[in-house]
Amino acid sequence: MSPPLCGRSVRFAPPLFLLLSLGALGAQYCVPRKTFPYQHEELRLFREEGIWNYSTMLLREDQGVLLLGAREAIYALDIHNITSKKAALYWRVTEQKQKDCTYKGKLFEVDCRNYIQTLHKVNDTTMYVCGTNAFSPVCDYMSYSDGRLVLHGRQEEGKGKCPFDPFHRYSSLMVGSDLYSATFINFLGSEPVVLRSSNTAVRTEFKSSWLNEPTFISMEHVPESVDSEEGDDDKVYLFFSENAMEYDFYSKLTVSRVARVCKEDMGGQRTLQRKWTSFVKARLDCSLPEPSLPPIVQDVFLLKHQNWRRSVFYAVFTPQSGSSRMSAVCAYSVVAIREVFNEGKFKTPVAVETSHVKWVMYSGELPVPRPGACISNEARKVGMRTSLDLPDKTLQFIRDRPLMDEAIRPLTGGPLLVTQGSALTRIVVDNVLALDGQVYPVMFIGTENGYVQKAVNYAGEMLVIEEVQLYEDPQPIRTLRLSSSEGYVYAGSVFGVVQMPVSNCGRQGSCSDCVLARDPYCAWDLSAASCSPVNGNSFGSAAVQSLTEGDTSRCTPPEPISVVKVKLVPENNIQLPCRADSNLAQVHWFFSDGRRLHSGPKYYVYGGGLLLLNASVADAGLYTCDSVERLRGRTYNKTMAVYDLQLSHGLGETEEDDLQDETDKAPDSSVGSDIPSTTAQSTIQAPEPDEPLLPETHTDAERVAGLRVGVAVLSLVSLSLFAALLWKLKVGASWRCSPPGGPRDIQAKTPVVEYAHVQNHAHVQNHTAVAAAEVQILAPGSPCISNNNHSAVDFKGNGHPHFTSMANISCLDGLGYINDESEI
């Protein structure tokens, strides 16, 4: 199966020769169709003054709470509204313990605290909790009842169950009454261990061939004993990264791994006593679409199915090289991983002349039973009922050769999704039943700058539906949890935890907006004329949802859009604001006679609108701005604004007074906020249009009711100076933001326009009808205006956004910037 392709992307498309890495790919960079900046009304934030590191979560849907572990605090929050704190428990470190910690060289206020790292459900009334306890980990049992969180006071040694260092990544899992953990077992963090804490504790060997400076990521339990014809055992899968032993590199090379152990493994009788006899590992392959070192796994989510054979692991990867800003999501079938471990070949170390050890594929005969396998019906037939009965030959083999030769390949042959920019950090996946009766896996992916992206795969096309900013200030998302039954995603960071609905259908204000969003959670209710959640609604035939095609043909025609009148002053420069309806759309401008306007000596088309240079009498007329989005061979047009430029022969004193009066009365406008202005800018409320403009025949999507227009009148400067400035821009003189070769042709360049987050940037909504628009009228010779209240975004070579004060930007978007120890 070939990897899915992203929808038409406006990001940089790599050349064909770059689409080679560890495997051939066809995926493009995926761009969120819509970007929603921080809106506190849609989100719920919980944090408490003086408390940090909200990084551990346990959903107790049966008790209606989200248990949240932070630094020296545990909270029980209302699962429906996390701002409601039902209970709190403060588990602080004693002063003596802090002093002991500092004597060992750790920081008193940072390291020598109790960071809650483990929260697991033991039974309906009891939880198991562990904390770092100032580099002396300890665990206890806890209960929540009658609105109180209570520690039972049955403290246990936490070594091997919880990390010493609060900033070391680790993973743990509770299966029945047994705790599986992957962490470092010593103070120095030099002895990694994968441990099962139970009546028969079992752990890994302290050998670099087992674990070589690992970073533990995730653990998952798969009930493979269910309906197993061979009488197999359940498995616990561990995802981590480590320094590779099998590659002969000058410096250390990190690779991503998946390992597994059998649930009923009891260790060996003589060899591997109290050690795993079933520990095997393999490399995870997730090739990025550029020549690069193997990417590193950052998070894994198991999308479970009633039939465990159909369960899928979703994993987030980032580059190990700082020169790349790519991230990827790959999916792995449980069956595919199982086949590699059950039937694949092993690697074996061999000595070479240089005294180094080289790992090669083992081609000899395997001992019986197969090394690393669980006890099955076949083994039971010959009297081997537990791992204690395994022969030494089998155990010696797996002790020295735990690594498989074959890598685990992605389910789709390559990444499901590839992004460029801010790194992806965490992932959860929800199964969503759509109106077409199909179940779609929807991914929620956290980023390094505090956004959550929602993505889904439709018939081989990967669509990032939207991205939502969760924190007002950028905060790396360190934990993601999903409650499918309640319809919320919970995101944790150092700063606090945010509750976000899986979908906000109300953002889509029209039928075509709702349909083109292609969100399986939402459909357009024809009877109610609103975009409504699918779950729990019985729409019948009175709903429109077209996920794979985005077909808006059942939508009613759009309302007429109002024409905004603008005075045209000869020899002035005029800015007409207009933005594309989505990140995947282009902006097309048309004049009265139907001509398509392109960037050139007369016009400049940029991301925020149209710049009319040195206006003349001939420029009077209608200017129409269309947002054009292409989907599966169809074009969807939406008129975003229409301006009627009417000739003005100058303003007399009376007219100037009227203009000032209108300026004083005009409300602030956020439309076109990336357009430069000066402190002398005047904003007026444009008059109501004389008559509505009906939807044009060349479009097939609805029209918006209008935009507000801002008018900035600047002092007149010589036209010759302006012409000289444009010439200087064209030849690439000192202006940093000027592209070589003069103004760009938007028609040719739009498909490769880059995309990035713009902090606190006003997003143009298309569900509100506005009868006015903002227009910038610039005096000749002033194509660039400074205003410290605005900011622009500039893109570096790696696609990372760099924010600059507008005061330092020399020209508009189109003129060069885009605004837009040990035994246990």
Side-chain angles (χ1 to χ4, degrees):
M1 181 184 297
S2 60
L5 298 176
C6 285
R8 190 188 65 79
S9 174
V10 296
R11 282 190 188 272
F12 163 75
L16 182 60
F17 70 90
L18 285 182
L19 297 180
L20 299 173
S21 181
L22 299 176
L25 293 178
Q28 297 176 336
Y29 302 132
C30 294
V31 176
R33 183 177 180 273
K34 288 288 185 77
T35 298
F36 296 100
Y38 177 76
Q39 296 288 340
H40 65 88
E41 299 89 354
E42 300 177 358
L43 307 170
R44 293 188 174 99
L45 168 69
F46 174 82
R47 70 180 307 272
E48 196 168 83
E49 194 65 31
I51 304 296
W52 305 93
N53 292 75
Y54 303 82
S55 57
T56 307
M57 294 186 197
L58 172 63
L59 281 169
R60 289 299 305 265
E61 294 168 321
D62 56 335
Q63 294 184 311
V65 294
L66 170 70
L67 293 171
L68 176 65
R71 192 178 75 173
E72 300 190 326
I74 306 169
Y75 302 98
L77 308 178
D78 189 329
I79 199 170
H80 304 103
N81 182 0
I82 64 171
T83 62
S84 173
K85 180 175 66 174
K86 293 191 170 184
L89 173 65
Y90 300 97
W91 191 1
R92 297 185 173 93
V93 179
T94 64
E95 186 175 346
Q96 184 59 48
K97 183 69 71 174
Q98 280 187 288
K99 288 181 179 180
D100 293 343
C101 176
T102 58
Y103 294 156
K104 299 174 183 177
K106 301 303 177 181
L107 297 176
F108 183 87
E109 288 296 334
V110 180
D111 301 321
C112 301
R113 297 294 191 99
N114 188 24
Y115 292 79
I116 307 304
Q117 299 285 71
T118 301
L119 268 174
H120 292 299
K121 176 182 176 180
V122 178
N123 53 45
D124 291 342
T125 60
T126 308
M127 278 81 71
Y128 194 68
V129 56
C130 301
T132 60
N133 194 39
F135 272 75
S136 180
V138 63
C139 300
D140 203 342
Y141 292 89
M142 180 182 71
S143 61
Y144 170 72
S145 62
D146 300 325
R148 296 179 62 229
L149 282 170
V150 179
L151 286 175
H152 292 186
R154 297 157 50 192
Q155 290 193 2
E156 300 176 350
E157 172 70 59
K159 184 171 64 175
K161 304 175 184 178
C162 175
F164 284 75
D165 191 329
F167 305 108
H168 274 169
R169 287 203 66 177
Y170 96 111
S171 184
S172 65
L173 177 72
M174 187 71 76
V175 181
S177 59
D178 296 340
L179 178 70
Y180 293 76
S181 55
T183 185
F184 291 88
I185 203 170
N186 64 334
F187 180 89
L188 297 176
S190 58
E191 295 181 357
V193 65
V194 178
L195 168 70
R196 185 185 68 208
S197 300
S198 63
N199 293 331
T200 54
V202 183
R203 64 166 176 84
T204 48
E205 279 272 28
F206 291 127
K207 295 181 64 174
S208 60
S209 58
W210 283 48
L211 296 169
N212 188 19
E213 301 181 38
T215 299
F216 299 111
I217 301 299
S218 176
M219 301 182 86
E220 294 288 351
H221 169 247
V222 179
E224 296 183 24
S225 64
V226 178
D227 299 327
S228 173
E229 296 179 356
E230 59 269 25
D232 204 355
D233 191 9
D234 289 356
K235 310 291 194 308
V236 172
Y237 289 88
L238 168 68
F239 293 84
F240 64 105
S241 60
E242 67 172 350
N243 292 332
M245 300 291 293
E246 66 269 32
Y247 297 116
D248 188 13
F249 275 70
Y250 176 76
S251 59
K252 294 178 180 179
L253 176 69
T254 305
V255 295
S256 300
R257 305 278 200 208
V258 56
R260 79 167 192 194
V261 293
C262 301
K263 179 174 176 252
E264 300 300 328
D265 193 338
M266 301 175 66
Q269 184 68 40
R270 293 174 297 274
T271 304
L272 293 179
Q273 290 184 22
R274 301 175 66 189
K275 309 295 192 306
W276 297 108
T277 66
S278 56
F279 182 85
V280 286
K281 63 181 182 179
R283 182 175 64 83
L284 280 175
D285 177 34
C286 184
S287 302
L288 297 177
E290 65 178 19
S292 63
L293 297 174
I296 306 304
V297 62
Q298 299 297 331
D299 194 32
V300 178
F301 182 87
L302 175 61
L303 184 60
K304 298 180 180 179
H305 193 277
Q306 288 184 344
N307 181 355
W308 60 265
R309 294 171 180 83
R310 298 177 61 183
S311 297
V312 175
F313 290 105
Y314 289 80
V316 169
F317 291 82
T318 58
Q320 60 180 298
S321 170
S323 62
S324 175
R325 293 292 293 166
M326 281 186 173
S327 296
V329 175
C330 283
Y332 304 91
S333 165
V334 167
V335 171
I337 299 176
R338 174 186 170 88
E339 287 178 356
V340 170
F341 286 138
N342 286 359
E343 302 172 13
K345 293 184 176 296
F346 291 85
K347 280 189 178 293
T348 186
V350 295
V352 294
E353 294 180 0
T354 57
S355 299
H356 293 297
V357 173
K358 186 176 181 66
W359 288 79
V360 299
M361 185 180 72
Y362 180 81
S363 56
E365 185 176 349
L366 291 178
V368 178
R370 178 184 170 89
C374 301
I375 300 298
S376 63
N377 292 335
E378 186 176 347
R380 295 185 187 99
K381 289 179 181 178
V382 294
M384 300 179 189
R385 299 192 174 276
T386 71
S387 61
L388 295 171
D389 301 323
L390 292 172
D392 286 344
K393 191 173 183 180
T394 293
L395 299 179
Q396 289 167 356
F397 184 99
I398 201 64
R399 180 191 61 191
D400 300 330
R401 306 170 183 86
L403 178 62
M404 307 305 299
D405 181 68
E406 184 181 352
I408 310 296
R409 308 293 177 185
L411 185 62
T412 55
L416 275 171
L417 177 150
V418 179
T419 66
Q420 190 173 38
S422 190
L424 306 181
T425 58
R426 301 293 184 267
I427 186 171
V428 292
V429 188
D430 192 15
N431 269 330
V432 183
L433 177 64
L435 288 184
D436 60 7
Q438 299 293 317
V439 175
Y440 296 93
V442 179
M443 299 180 286
F444 296 88
I445 312 164
T447 70
E448 193 71 25
N449 62 344
Y451 282 74
V452 165
Q453 298 183 355
K454 179 163 65 175
V456 64
N457 182 16
Y458 293 133
E461 176 200 7
M462 178 55 63
L463 170 68
V464 183
I465 299 170
E466 64 188 23
E467 62 178 354
V468 181
Q469 184 181 355
L470 298 191
Y471 298 93
E472 190 170 6
D473 298 319
Q475 296 287 333
I477 292 177
R478 295 303 180 218
T479 310
L480 271 185
R481 293 292 183 269
L482 168 72
S483 174
S484 297
S485 61
E486 302 298 335
Y488 291 110
V489 171
Y490 306 88
S493 71
V494 171
F495 176 78
V497 59
V498 171
Q499 174 186 353
M500 180 190 84
V502 292
S503 190
N504 187 345
C505 303
R507 289 196 190 107
Q508 315 302 334
S510 67
C511 179
S512 63
D513 288 339
C514 188
V515 174
L516 288 176
R518 299 164 68 197
D519 189 336
Y521 289 100
C522 304
W524 183 258
D525 188 341
L526 291 171
S527 58
S530 65
C531 196
S532 305
V534 171
N535 185 28
N537 284 336
S538 301
F539 295 109
S541 60
V544 183
Q545 188 186 66
S546 179
L547 301 181
T548 59
E549 300 297 327
D551 184 6
T552 62
S553 59
R554 292 182 60 196
C555 292
T556 57
E559 293 294 326
I561 167 176
S562 299
V563 179
V564 177
K565 293 182 179 181
V566 179
K567 290 183 179 181
L568 187 155
V569 180
E571 300 184 356
N572 272 9
N573 306 317
I574 302 176
Q575 293 175 354
L576 303 178
C578 182
R579 291 191 174 277
D581 192 42
S582 81
N583 297 322
L584 303 182
Q586 304 178 47
V587 168
H588 291 179
W589 283 90
F590 297 91
F591 191 50
S592 302
D593 56 8
R595 282 185 297 121
R596 166 89 180 276
L597 304 181
H598 302 284
S599 293
K602 189 65 180 176
Y603 305 104
Y604 195 79
V605 181
Y606 67 106
L610 174 71
L611 176 62
L612 174 60
L613 305 174
N614 191 21
S616 65
V617 175
D619 295 321
L622 287 178
Y623 290 79
T624 303
C625 173
D626 282 0
S627 176
V628 181
E629 186 170 349
R630 293 180 176 86
L631 173 62
R632 295 193 176 272
R634 291 191 298 271
T635 300
Y636 296 90
N637 287 25
K638 180 176 182 178
T639 298
M640 305 300 295
V642 178
Y643 300 102
D644 183 7
L645 267 64
Q646 299 178 349
L647 184 63
S648 174
H649 297 288
L651 296 175
E653 292 183 2
T654 303
E655 289 174 300
E656 287 180 349
D657 293 340
D658 292 342
L659 175 60
Q660 184 60 46
D661 291 341
E662 291 185 57
T663 299
D664 295 338
K665 298 175 183 178
D668 293 336
S669 174
S670 61
V671 179
S673 63
D674 68 332
I675 298 175
S677 62
T678 66
T679 55
Q681 176 181 359
S682 299
T683 304
I684 67 169
Q685 185 70 31
E688 292 291 336
D690 291 338
E691 59 184 45
L693 178 75
L694 295 178
E696 297 167 356
T697 57
H698 71 276
T699 63
D700 60 356
E702 81 274 13
R703 306 297 191 252
V704 83
L707 298 170
R708 287 170 301 196
V709 182
V711 179
V713 181
L714 307 180
S715 58
L716 293 177
V717 185
S718 167
L719 282 173
S720 58
L721 177 60
F722 176 66
L725 178 59
L726 283 184
W727 177 85
K728 200 168 187 178
L729 288 172
K730 183 175 181 180
V731 298
S734 62
W735 303 102
R736 174 179 58 82
C737 63
S738 177
R744 296 174 290 184
D745 186 337
I746 290 299
Q747 187 177 28
K749 294 296 185 179
T750 299
V752 293
V753 169
E754 297 217 82
Y755 163 84
H757 303 297
V758 179
Q759 295 298 325
N760 298 324
H761 183 77
H763 183 75
V764 179
Q765 301 292 335
N766 34 7
H767 54 72
T768 303
V770 184
E774 285 190 358
V775 176
Q776 299 277 358
I777 303 179
L778 282 70
S782 39
C784 308
I785 310 172
S786 169
N787 187 343
N788 291 329
N789 294 327
H790 296 271
S791 62
V793 60
D794 190 14
F795 288 85
K796 304 306 179 185
N798 61 4
H800 183 68
H802 170 72
F803 295 92
T804 312
S805 171
M806 189 64 74
N808 300 323
I809 296 298
S810 60
C811 46
L812 295 175
D813 165 80
L815 296 178
Y817 72 86
I818 299 175
N819 249 15
D820 246 332
E821 251 130 85
S822 171
E823 283 285 332
I824 294 179

